[in-house]
Every structure is written in C-alpha cells, then in structure tokens.
Amino acid sequence: MIINKETILPLVTYEGALPTFWEEVKQLATPHINENAIKRLRAVLDHRVKTVAVERHYIDKDYRDTFSNYHSKRFATPDSRCIRLHFFGKICRPDELRKPAIANKHYIGYSIMRPTRPNALGRTLLNPDGIILDGAQICTTREHVNLLGCDLTVSGFPFISQDADVTVCAQSALWMILRYFSDRYPSYAEAAPYQIGQLTSDYTLGRLYPSSGLTMWQMAEALRLSGFHPLTYYREYTDDFEHLLYTYIESGIPCLIGLEGHVIVAYGHRSNFEGNPTPDKDKSIVFSSYFNNSFIVSDDNEFPYQPLMRQGGTPPASQYKFSDIDSFVVPLPEKVFLTAEDVQKLTMQIFDRHRHLWDTFSSTQLVARTFLTTVRSFKRRIGEREMGNKDVENIYRNLPLPHFIWVTEFGLLDEYPNFVRGEIIWDATRNGHELVGWIALHAPEYLIIDIGSAFNGPQKIDKRALKDSGKYPLFVSNLSK
Amino acid sequence: MNQKQDIQLIPDDKVGFEPLFETDEEYRKFCDEFTAAVTPQLNENRMKRRKSEEAARKQLVG
C-alpha cells in the first residue's frame, strides 16, 4: 500500500504480496530505479522488509561527484539528484518514522537509486542480520542517517555498483574498501568515485574515463596513495594462499579479490566446525582456516553479503568458488611491517622450540588462529576474557605493547571454537629478521615474555611458572557476528 | 635518558620471573639457531611476494 504518495517521503507497506509491494516501490522510485536494481534488492530484502520509505530529491555525495565531473558533460544530462530508499523490518506509519526510538529499532538500512544505466544501485548500507548465514563473521562499520530530521543508525559493509562510465568493477571495489575504512577510522579520508579514478592517473595505460578497468597493480597503487601499505598475493606464487586470505580477513582487513577479468571484495568468512571432516590425526596443529568453508563477498554486479563457497554454490551464493580466486590485495595499515606469512613462520618456529614446556598441549591436537589487532582492542578485552590465569591478565594489562600486534591463539581441538589455552604475541611493527619482535608466549604452565624490549631496552626473555591455569574465550573484536 | 626499566608487572609480586636462558651463551645459541632456521624461509617469502607484485601489473580487471 502506498501512503503519502505525492509527498517528499511516500511509504510503501507490505500487504502480503511481494510482487505488488516491489511494483509500488518501482512506481515511486521511477525513473531512477530499474528492474535490475529491484532484482538485486529483492535478493537480500524480500524476506525481511515490510516498509520502504522513498526519499525523493536526495543529493547523494558519491553520485554528485561523478555527475559533476563526468555525467554533466554529456549532451543528454541525467538528473543531478537521486532517490534514497530506506528499508524497515516492520509496517511503519509516517508518524513512527519521526520517532528515532521506534524507527531505529526496525531500520535495516538504505540504498541510493541513481539515474545511471544499466546499474541504478548506488551507495548502499544494509544491516546484515538475516542476510548472512548463521556463523558468518564480517567487517562492519556504522553510519548515522538522517531521515527528514529523524536520526537513524545502521551497521554493515558499504556496497556500490558500477555506473559503467566513471566506475567499473575495479573502482567500485576500491570504493567499498575505502568507504569501510573512512567510515570506521577517522585517520582515513573519505574518497568519492571520481576521486578514486584520479588516484590511478599517474599509472594509466589509456584514458581514465570512461574506464576500461584497472590492473591489480594499479588498484594496489590507489590504496597506497590512500594511506595504506598494500600487499599483493598471487595463488601461483603463494603457499597457503587461502589460509593467508583468511588470516587477513580474520584480522578485520577487507581484501580485493582478483578473479579472471573481474574484482570483488571479501570482508568476512563462515566456518563450519561440525560439517568439516576431523583433521588428520597426524597433524599436531590445525589452523582455524581449515574450518572455513566460505568467504563473505560483495560483487558490484550482484548484491552485498554473498557467500563465496569453497566448492561453489547456487544463487544467492556467489557464482565463484575458492579456486577461482587468482589473487588478492591486502590494504595493510601503515605501521604493520610484518606480513602474515612471515609471522606464521616465526610463530611456528617459537612454538616448536618451546613445545616441551607445554604439558597440556603435548598429547592433543591443537587449533591455531592467527590475527592482527591493535593493542587497544586486545587490552580492552583482557578483563572479560581473564586469560585463563589472573597473573597473565595482570601482566598483559601492565606490559607496554606496540600499536599493532600479531596474535596466534592455541586451543584444544575439542574445546574449539569456544575456548583457547594460550597464545604467542609478536610485534607487528618489526621486520621478520628481528627476533626481538617476539613479545610473549603463554601456555597453561608458563608465561614467557620479553621484559627488556617492553621497556625499550635490550631483549631480556624471562619465564614465570603458572598455577591453576584454565581455558578462556577466543579474542573477538575484528569481525562482527 | 631512558625511563626506569625494572618495573613490576604485578604489584608486590611474590612469585617473580626467572630467565628463560640460564647463560648468555645459551641465549646466543638460541638466537643463532632461530635466525638460521627462519632466514631462508623469510627470504623465500620475500621472493614470492615480489613475483606476485610483478604478476599484478599484467592482470586487468573491470
């Protein structure tokens, strides 16, 4: 049913028939919306949206950027304004959308309809609840939305489709990653689509606009010029390719995923601890990536939050499978000098050399999970996790640590993924050849720490016997469920 | 001038720490063996990353 049809904010409410509901949305959002946009929105919203608020004459900062720099220069000029659709999980009356307490409770998110063809779907941010599968974990950011004076909040991963002129899949994928970082961290500047294209102007092989695509290297350069220190990995030159991709995503870093002629963004994963076969008994350590059976991706030709499954899947899953991934680019923060593959070698070397100290771990299979985090996040969760031992909790609290740390947690296979028993911590601001990067090794029986480096002196590695150590929860901060 | 370095990590700590390595020689041996074990692996990682970076110049997407 359409309410307030002739106003700036008409509503469409669900009356039991989805085709009618979306036909009414189309009627109100025409001429900006098209069938392609409706099909994509239905893929993620059909089962949960009950009201669509159609905000007319919306000035979208990202579309206005491409309009001013490109579309306005055409003879046939499209509308400079957009239509913003707001989605609610409840049948709402107009007066309820003026009350933040009520409107926020049911707000799913928004999607901009641009007057661009063939892709009308512009900037989009949707709450992933009810879209992603149970057990999936993703990077999320939060935005504040103002709907005619009513403050709303939505968390999710930003999405945009290409306009096929200023942006193709390469710029769209870059936009999604850059917008995630600028929304979430104030140290990263916001970049609009045309600006992103300009980032590659010194390395372009031909004209910039209309874009004919970018190389993975140009995309890495665009990330470098945006304040990151990107790393590039190709399957044919990388050991443990999918494990490394998983490790970076587990660290809360969304990655550009290179496919044949296409690029998408991966920013989450989903593990299956029951469905996967029991790890080979000969392996004393199993990495947590062993249980991962899908990455959560956004493909600008599709819709957000698609699972890209190990063996491939059917819609709404991505058409791609793990083996289709040729390469990935990681936008590492500036001060992370130690790479995931290097820290893996270092950590395993330390672990093997001290395994004899760990009675609890000597006779059972272990699960190891490696991730990057900030010391702020790590310390913030020390109190609630208790680290299995009061002394370890106190020492970690008081120990000066670098801004970024690599952590490898160790848990017993039959307690995973609920609990762990120890961890190795490594300074991510060191290079791999500096043994002084080793900060701590915590096992149930011992805590070994480099007290010297912690206080800015020469390395001084001490150990402390621990009594009555127990299990404790995994560190969870980088990704949201 | 550096700040105080012999700081207690637990107030009024009764248990304390002991050195992981009993002698300097033992520590140096550990460092040498560790470095010898990881250096070839780290160098190999670096070479592979370099090859990936070269490959990235050729893959056009979009």
Side-chain angles (χ1 to χ4, degrees):
Chain A
M1 185 171 76
I2 297 176
I3 302 169
N4 293 343
K5 186 175 180 179
E6 304 303 326
T7 65
I8 194 78
L9 190 73
L11 305 185
V12 179
T13 56
Y14 177 70
E15 301 292 326
L18 281 166
T20 309
F21 176 75
W22 286 105
E23 192 52 45
E24 288 173 342
V25 173
K26 184 182 173 188
Q27 187 187 331
L28 293 174
T30 294
H32 294 56
I33 202 167
N34 62 3
E35 283 298 334
N36 176 288
I38 289 177
K39 188 179 159 197
R40 295 207 233 172
L41 291 174
R42 289 192 65 169
V44 285
L45 291 169
D46 250 2
H47 59 292
R48 56 196 296 235
V49 65
K50 295 288 182 280
T51 300
V52 178
V54 181
E55 187 179 1
R56 290 165 162 160
H57 287 276
Y58 179 71
I59 297 173
D60 175 54
K61 56 188 172 185
D62 291 296
Y63 172 66
R64 188 55 76 91
D65 167 74
T66 55
F67 176 84
S68 301
N69 289 293
Y70 183 85
H71 301 293
S72 64
K73 295 170 184 170
R74 291 173 151 182
F75 176 63
T77 315
D79 191 355
S80 65
R81 297 185 183 183
C82 295
I83 289 173
R84 182 161 66 162
L85 304 180
H86 300 268
F87 308 103
F88 296 86
K90 170 187 177 289
I91 295 176
C92 298
R93 299 186 311 270
D95 63 304
E96 288 178 309
L97 298 189
R98 291 180 191 160
K99 297 170 185 165
I102 298 174
N104 249 317
K105 201 172 162 188
H106 305 285
Y107 192 51
I108 296 171
Y110 67 85
S111 182
I112 309 287
M113 296 299 118
R114 304 175 306 217
T116 54
R117 292 296 179 266
N119 297 306
L121 213 59
R123 181 162 58 97
T124 297
L125 187 63
L126 300 173
N127 185 314
D129 291 349
I131 301 176
I132 59 171
L133 297 168
D134 284 347
Q137 295 178 307
I138 62 167
C139 303
T140 59
T141 185
R142 179 177 295 185
E143 282 189 12
H144 299 285
V145 178
N146 191 279
L147 177 57
L148 304 191
C150 179
D151 285 324
L152 301 168
T153 307
V154 58
S155 293
F157 193 85
F159 176 86
I160 200 167
S161 69
Q162 59 181 281
D163 67 8
D165 284 317
V166 177
T167 60
V168 292
C169 67
Q171 291 86 355
S172 301
L174 281 168
W175 181 94
M176 291 189 240
I177 285 186
L178 293 174
R179 187 56 54 94
Y180 165 75
F181 277 103
S182 63
D183 269 359
R184 183 160 174 155
Y185 303 105
S187 51
Y188 294 103
E190 188 171 276
Y194 188 87
Q195 286 177 286
I196 291 171
Q198 291 293 322
L199 289 172
T200 63
S201 61
D202 288 345
Y203 316 103
T204 184
L205 302 173
R207 62 182 183 176
L208 275 177
Y209 310 107
S211 176
S212 54
L214 298 172
T215 64
M216 292 300 279
W217 174 74
Q218 286 175 305
M219 297 178 74
E221 280 301 296
L223 289 170
R224 189 179 63 78
L225 291 169
S226 303
F228 297 92
H229 286 216
L231 287 170
T232 304
Y233 295 91
Y234 269 71
R235 184 183 286 277
E236 61 186 303
Y237 302 119
T238 306
D239 301 329
D240 306 319
F241 180 78
E242 283 144 20
H243 167 71
L244 282 184
L245 174 57
Y246 167 92
T247 300
Y248 283 117
I249 290 173
E250 184 66 14
S251 301
I253 304 174
C255 298
L256 295 168
I257 303 293
L259 305 157
E260 189 178 352
H262 191 37
V263 63
I264 60 177
V265 180
Y267 48 87
H269 59 71
R270 181 172 184 257
S271 294
N272 186 351
F273 296 97
E274 275 88 45
N276 281 5
T278 307
D280 188 347
K281 289 279 182 205
D282 294 340
K283 286 187 175 174
S284 58
I285 294 185
V286 182
F287 291 99
S288 55
S289 58
Y290 172 84
F291 301 100
N292 179 38
N293 62 10
S294 51
F295 291 109
I296 308 301
V297 303
S298 282
D299 179 340
D300 81 295
N301 290 328
E302 300 286 341
F303 40 84
Y305 309 125
Q306 278 190 300
L308 187 157
M309 303 173 89
R310 187 179 289 277
Q311 309 295 348
T314 52
S318 169
Q319 61 180 301
Y320 302 104
K321 55 186 180 298
F322 279 17
S323 59
D324 291 329
I325 303 174
D326 296 329
S327 60
F328 64 91
V329 177
V330 191
L332 273 185
E334 183 200 356
K335 287 188 279 290
V336 179
F337 303 128
L338 192 59
T339 63
E341 69 273 26
D342 284 356
V343 81
Q344 172 110 348
K345 300 287 184 197
L346 297 165
T347 300
M348 287 302 106
Q349 190 64 224
I350 288 289
F351 179 83
D352 287 342
R353 284 170 186 272
H354 296 91
R355 187 162 185 151
H356 61 282
L357 296 175
W358 304 24
D359 289 347
T360 306
F361 289 172
S362 61
S363 59
T364 182
Q365 274 184 297
L366 302 179
V367 181
R369 180 179 71 124
T370 300
F371 56 87
L372 179 74
T373 187
T374 61
V375 65
R376 192 163 76 161
S377 287
F378 185 75
K379 288 199 176 189
R380 190 181 285 149
R381 281 155 188 86
I382 282 176
E384 67 195 50
R385 299 175 69 210
E386 298 181 346
M387 309 312 290
N389 186 290
K390 200 69 192 166
D391 285 356
V392 178
E393 182 188 332
N394 278 329
I395 290 165
Y396 277 173
R397 260 187 212 285
N398 295 328
L399 191 70
L401 290 170
H403 183 66
F404 286 108
I405 51 174
W406 280 105
V407 180
T408 300
E409 290 180 339
F410 295 93
L412 308 185
L413 180 59
D414 56 4
E415 292 176 351
Y416 208 81
N418 299 316
F419 300 103
V420 290
R421 296 276 182 164
E423 64 278 319
I424 291 176
I425 303 177
W426 209 281
D427 180 353
T429 67
R430 297 278 186 175
N431 74 52
H433 296 275
E434 294 176 289
L435 181 54
V436 282
W438 175 32
I439 293 170
L441 180 157
H442 166 211
E445 283 83 11
Y446 284 95
L447 174 67
I448 299 172
I449 56 171
D450 176 3
I451 293 179
S453 300
F455 294 109
N456 212 16
Q459 189 171 40
K460 180 174 177 292
I461 306 173
D462 286 351
K463 72 175 177 181
R464 178 189 187 91
L466 301 175
K467 286 181 184 169
D468 306 323
S469 290
K471 58 191 179 184
Y472 52 99
L474 280 74
F475 173 82
V476 178
S477 174
N478 292 328
L479 304 178
S480 304
K481 286 186 179 177
Chain B
M1 192 177 185
N2 279 339
Q3 290 187 51
K4 181 176 170 59
Q5 293 183 341
D6 55 340
I7 288 174
Q8 281 193 333
L9 290 170
I10 297 178
D12 302 321
D13 188 12
K14 301 286 188 294
V15 178
F17 288 86
E18 56 182 288
L20 180 65
F21 304 102
E22 287 177 7
T23 63
D24 278 354
E25 253 178 47
E26 203 181 315
Y27 170 66
R28 271 197 297 276
K29 185 166 176 274
F30 165 75
C31 292
D32 291 345
E33 286 178 1
F34 185 90
T35 304
V38 298
T39 300
Q41 298 178 52
L42 298 178
N43 288 341
E44 191 186 342
N45 282 347
R46 196 180 60 207
M47 293 309 292
K48 286 179 174 173
R49 273 201 304 275
R50 191 83 197 116
K51 284 181 180 171
S52 283
E53 284 158 6
E54 286 297 325
R57 290 174 181 268
K58 295 172 192 146
Q59 188 186 5
L60 184 69
V61 292

